[in-house]
Amino acid sequence: MAKIETISARKILNSRGQWTIETKVVLDDDSVGIQPVPNGASEGENEAVDVEVDKAIDIVNNTISDVLVGKDPFDQKEIDKILVEMDGTPNKSRLGGNSILSVSLAVAKAAADSEEIELYEYLSELYSGKEKNGDITYPTPIFNVLNGGKHAQNKLSFQEFMVIPALNTPFDRALEMGVNIYHNLEELLVDEDFETAVGDEGGFEPQGLCCDVALDFIKKAANVQYDVGNDVFLGMDIAAGSFYKDGKYDINEENIELTTEELMEYYNRMLTKYELIYMEDPFYEKDHKGWSDFYKSYSDRLMVVADDLVVTNPALLAEAIKKKLANAVIVKPNQVGTLTETFEFVKLARKAKMNVIVSHRSGDNVDSFISDLALAVSADFIKSGAPVRGERVAKYNRILEVFQDH
Ligand code: PGA
Ligand code: ZN
């Protein structure tokens, strides 16, 4: 069996032009795994903490490498256990979430390379403990076509305005739908003299819109070819923590500050008016009253999606399940730091019958690890922004590649 021969990190740029790290793991049979680390802009408070890039490189090249060289790359649990124990903090702040994640995922990639199997097959074996049978479940893509919040330079408070093809749509057709709606939206914006510059996740970021007008545009763009509410649905990532200040939600484009109850009324109106089936982070992660009331009112007809609330952390998810705060979860490996903890999180979500949405970050790379992860755990959805920009389409194209090969 091959052993880990070298582990080395280097500095690379992410899609926002910020430095991040990429780690290369080489095995003694010459197999290789290379893993860059993505970065969020609207991060949850309990996410794994990254250390500064040069420090992360030093930690990977020295501290981590010293301990893991010679180890068995197929024992992912042991590798991750060593990383977590070496760090010794609850939020990975000593070695850094970035150092740890890049090593954890690069080891898995090198192991898959050594076995000469597809990454998703290898990850599926790790996840389920069984060899992957021939069946593949493809995730439904969720396209973020209009950007606001911390991902855009406009004044929209809500972060992501999304279109979601109906669940039984084959992956290639779902992708085509996202592309068509995106281009229709571009035309409609141009027709009405709005800018078509794009935000961090590839969605348009026109100035001067409020939530209703944004959703009207998207609905119109989808209606050109599709039946909204039947072929395709709408969703939003509110990322409410990013505009929560001193107990109020600041909807600056409308010059209003809302209490938890008033924000709930705001949503009531939106949910009556639009074909929304997906609401992510509708309240700040510590506003459990808001989450709980929202869940009570809408969990039977909506995906109430926890991102910042649980940050891919099994302990925080257990609390959210107990308190009945969400019925769907975002999975971002870099929020927790290791592959093993990511799997643990997905298993817990599955046990609680929650929908699983594997997600990119707003600062990302052309890497497509999360696509293989989504296939390996049979995620219900994958969220990778608009169907434009290299780092966004890399994820969609990887799933399309597997789809076309079968
Ligand atoms: P982030 O945003 O990567 O900037 O955290 C993505 C999200 O909130 O879903
Ligand atoms: Zn989110």
Side-chain angles (χ1 to χ4, degrees):
M1 274 296 206
K3 297 269 180 264
I4 296 175
E5 190 170 75
T6 60
I7 302 180
S8 54
R10 67 188 193 100
K11 191 169 168 171
I12 61 163
L13 287 167
N14 73 9
S15 59
R16 262 197 290 260
Q18 300 160 329
W19 294 109
T20 184
I21 69 162
E22 174 178 273
T23 290
K24 183 176 185 180
V25 169
V26 181
L27 308 186
D28 59 10
D29 64 358
D30 292 337
S31 306
V32 177
I34 298 176
Q35 187 60 49
V37 173
N39 312 86
S42 67
E43 296 174 326
E45 290 171 20
N46 294 311
E47 289 194 26
V49 174
D50 287 348
V51 296
E52 191 270 317
V53 169
D54 289 324
K55 188 173 167 200
I57 291 171
D58 183 56
I59 287 171
V60 172
N61 290 349
N62 297 298
T63 319
I64 294 178
S65 169
D66 280 356
V67 175
L68 292 188
V69 163
K71 291 271 185 297
D72 175 3
F74 300 98
D75 193 350
Q76 186 74 39
K77 270 194 190 149
E78 179 62 16
I79 297 284
D80 289 342
K81 187 166 165 264
I82 294 171
L83 288 167
V84 168
E85 285 176 0
M86 268 173 82
D87 175 76
T89 70
N91 60 0
K92 316 271 192 304
S93 55
R94 200 170 81 82
L95 298 185
N98 46 353
S99 321
I100 292 173
L101 182 86
S102 68
V103 173
S104 177
L105 304 192
V107 166
K109 277 185 178 171
D113 186 36
S114 176
E115 285 203 348
E116 297 183 352
I117 58 174
E118 294 283 350
L119 179 59
Y120 70 86
E121 291 173 323
Y122 181 71
L123 295 179
S124 168
E125 284 175 22
L126 282 182
Y127 175 69
S128 67
K130 294 189 294 248
E131 230 172 82
K132 181 135 182 79
N133 63 21
D135 297 344
I136 299 179
T137 309
Y138 295 93
T140 298
I142 298 182
F143 302 102
N144 175 11
V145 294
L146 205 142
N147 295 181
K150 290 197 171 164
H151 296 168
Q153 300 308 317
N154 55 19
K155 289 217 164 62
L156 271 173
S157 300
F158 300 170
Q159 181 176 280
E160 302 172 25
F161 294 79
M162 297 173 279
V163 290
I164 310 170
L167 280 187
N168 49 9
T169 315
F171 187 79
D172 56 349
R173 201 175 121 70
L175 194 49
E176 191 67 49
M177 286 171 87
V179 171
N180 289 338
I181 294 169
Y182 184 81
H183 291 305
N184 295 340
L185 178 59
E186 184 169 23
E187 267 182 45
L188 291 174
L189 290 169
V190 170
D191 283 352
E192 300 204 19
D193 290 329
F194 283 101
E195 311 87 341
T196 51
V198 301
D200 287 357
E201 297 190 349
F204 300 110
E205 52 167 10
Q207 301 289 335
L209 301 190
C210 64
C211 179
D212 287 67
V213 178
L215 289 172
D216 286 338
F217 261 113
I218 294 169
K219 213 172 146 171
K220 211 167 152 194
N223 269 331
V224 174
Q225 281 142 299
Y226 308 106
D227 181 9
V228 178
N230 194 22
D231 305 325
V232 66
F233 298 85
L234 305 177
M236 292 197 277
D237 181 0
I238 305 294
S242 62
F243 55 90
Y244 179 87
K245 256 197 328 244
D246 308 326
K248 290 270 182 84
Y249 294 93
D250 180 12
I251 316 284
N252 67 65
E253 68 273 33
E254 296 183 41
N255 275 321
I256 47 174
E257 285 195 349
L258 305 179
T259 61
T260 298
E261 291 71 28
E262 288 163 346
L263 184 59
M264 184 78 179
E265 282 163 31
Y266 190 101
Y267 294 147
N268 288 342
R269 192 175 63 74
M270 288 293 155
L271 292 163
T272 315
K273 194 168 163 199
Y274 298 100
E275 289 78 357
L276 288 156
I277 58 159
Y278 178 111
M279 293 283 281
E280 181 177 332
D281 285 340
F283 294 91
Y284 168 52
E285 62 212 64
K286 290 197 176 131
D287 186 356
H288 284 193
K289 167 97 174 72
W291 274 95
S292 170
D293 289 348
F294 192 78
Y295 179 93
K296 276 189 204 124
S297 303
Y298 292 113
S299 60
D300 56 341
R301 52 172 275 218
L302 271 188
M303 277 193 272
V304 179
V305 186
D307 175 14
D308 294 344
L309 181 74
V310 294
V311 292
T312 318
N313 183 311
L316 293 173
L317 176 57
E319 188 189 346
I321 293 169
K322 202 162 133 219
K323 289 190 169 172
K324 291 199 166 89
L325 304 181
N327 61 12
V329 285
I330 291 285
V331 177
K332 295 170 173 167
N334 88 314
Q335 284 181 326
V336 67
T338 66
L339 185 54
T340 302
E341 289 163 289
T342 306
F343 284 155
E344 212 184 300
F345 179 86
V346 175
K347 281 181 188 160
L348 186 55
R350 284 285 181 223
K351 207 166 139 215
K353 303 208 164 15
M354 295 172 130
N355 273 306
V356 169
I357 303 132
V358 170
S359 169
H360 64 160
R361 299 304 306 245
S362 55
D364 216 301
N365 285 91
V366 290
D367 176 70
S368 57
F369 185 96
I370 63 155
S371 306
D372 286 77
L373 175 67
L375 293 170
V377 303
S378 300
D380 303 285
F381 300 91
I382 184 162
K383 202 177 157 214
S384 180
V388 295
R389 293 184 60 136
E391 76 283 3
R392 310 298 146 192
V393 300
K395 279 72 166 168
Y396 295 134
N397 282 338
R398 168 62 179 154
I399 293 181
L400 185 64
E401 179 190 13
V402 177
F403 182 87
Q404 286 164 339
D405 283 349
H406 285 82

